[in-house]
Amino acid sequence: MIDSHCHLDFKDFDSVRDQMVAEAREAGVHTIVNIGVDLETSKRSVALAEKYDMIYATVGVHPHDAKTWNENVEEELMVLAIHEKVKAVGEIGLDFYRDNSPRPAQRKAFYEQLKMATKLKLPVVIHTREAFGETLDIVKEFAPYLTGGVFHCFPGDIDDAYKVFELGFIISVGGVITFRNSRMSRVATEVPLEKIMLETDAPYIAPEPFRGKMNHPAFVVHSGRKLAELKKISYDEVEKITDRTTRKFFKLVETFEG
Ligand code: NI
């Protein structure tokens, strides 16, 4: 099983990082993609990818941090992205729920990073909250030139998911899929399994039965189990298909499957 989106570099993990990686391995998680949210965390993601064979990195500036975007950040991200274990630009997008950065700054950073991804020939990891329509409109312009994209922690309904698929993009689902009657679980039930990646978004949003606790990559198996239940297939089948989708998306080489 692969955790396609987490933030193991965050301070929350400082005293337990090695242990969390070991626990992930023991739980059958053989690959982890660590996601940057600004320049510093992008650097730390690359450092983690250098330290651990099983970890890959993405680099990017999150909409919350869009106010930190400037040409210097762009240049540094471009250099980081050359690293062979950097597999996507992200997470990038729009967040009109928190509005931690002014909306014009969010649009600018999103736009520039979509351009960056086309130059780098890397797929994009998209975060969108309370801004799905505008996010989709912006992405549409770039979709023909991008090598792929994922709407992470998918916030939309079934129709929205098909709009994403029309662009050749996919979605990823995390802990929310395990919550009773969640929209994410309904979407995951209805859409093709081949269009779904699994993620934790750790340290955020732990799945049941750990809701409210700190999330970590080993917990992706709980979302995997829930997906198997929703799809009425075996866990092994879910693992096989979602791993294949994730490897294809990030262009990951085969790793040891423990
Ligand atoms: Ni995230």
Side-chain angles (χ1 to χ4, degrees), residues 5-7 35 37 62 91 127 152 199 201 204:
H5 186 125
C6 76
H7 305 279
I35 308 287
V37 296
H62 192 284
E91 56 186 300
H127 168 108
H152 110 90
E199 64 166 298
D201 204 15
Y204 308 121

Side-chain angles (χ1 to χ4, degrees), residues 118-240:
T118 63
K119 276 187 227 157
L120 291 163
K121 298 187 169 55
L122 288 174
V124 290
V125 177
I126 293 170
H127 168 108
T128 184
R129 197 160 178 204
E130 305 281 315
F132 184 78
E134 187 173 338
T135 304
L136 200 72
D137 283 344
I138 294 174
V139 164
K140 258 182 204 157
E141 277 182 54
F142 288 89
Y145 314 104
L146 284 164
T147 60
V150 60
F151 278 65
H152 110 90
C153 200
F154 190 65
D157 59 21
I158 294 161
D159 284 349
D160 295 335
Y162 279 93
K163 287 175 192 159
V164 167
F165 304 152
E166 270 170 35
L167 299 178
F169 284 20
I170 58 176
I171 65 173
S172 70
V173 300
V176 176
I177 195 183
T178 66
F179 301 169
R180 250 164 69 90
N181 297 323
S182 66
R183 182 155 79 168
M184 188 184 281
S185 67
R186 289 197 297 276
V187 170
T189 305
E190 292 302 319
V191 307
L193 180 58
E194 291 74 17
K195 302 286 185 195
I196 302 176
M197 295 199 290
L198 287 165
E199 64 166 298
T200 58
D201 204 15
Y204 308 121
I205 338 173
E208 296 286 6
F210 304 101
R211 194 171 179 175
K213 300 232 168 67
M214 187 171 93
N215 201 1
H216 61 99
F219 285 171
V220 73
V221 303
H222 296 281
S223 299
R225 272 188 211 132
K226 183 67 188 188
L227 188 54
E229 186 192 311
L230 295 171
K231 292 295 196 192
K232 301 185 169 67
I233 57 174
S234 69
Y235 177 85
D236 287 351
E237 189 69 7
V238 163
E239 176 170 29
K240 193 176 98 187

Side-chain angles (χ1 to χ4, degrees), residues 74 110-120 142 146:
E74 178 172 8
F110 188 28
Y111 217 84
E112 294 301 325
Q113 292 181 98
L114 286 163
K115 268 199 242 167
M116 207 171 93
T118 63
K119 276 187 227 157
L120 291 163
F142 288 89
L146 284 164

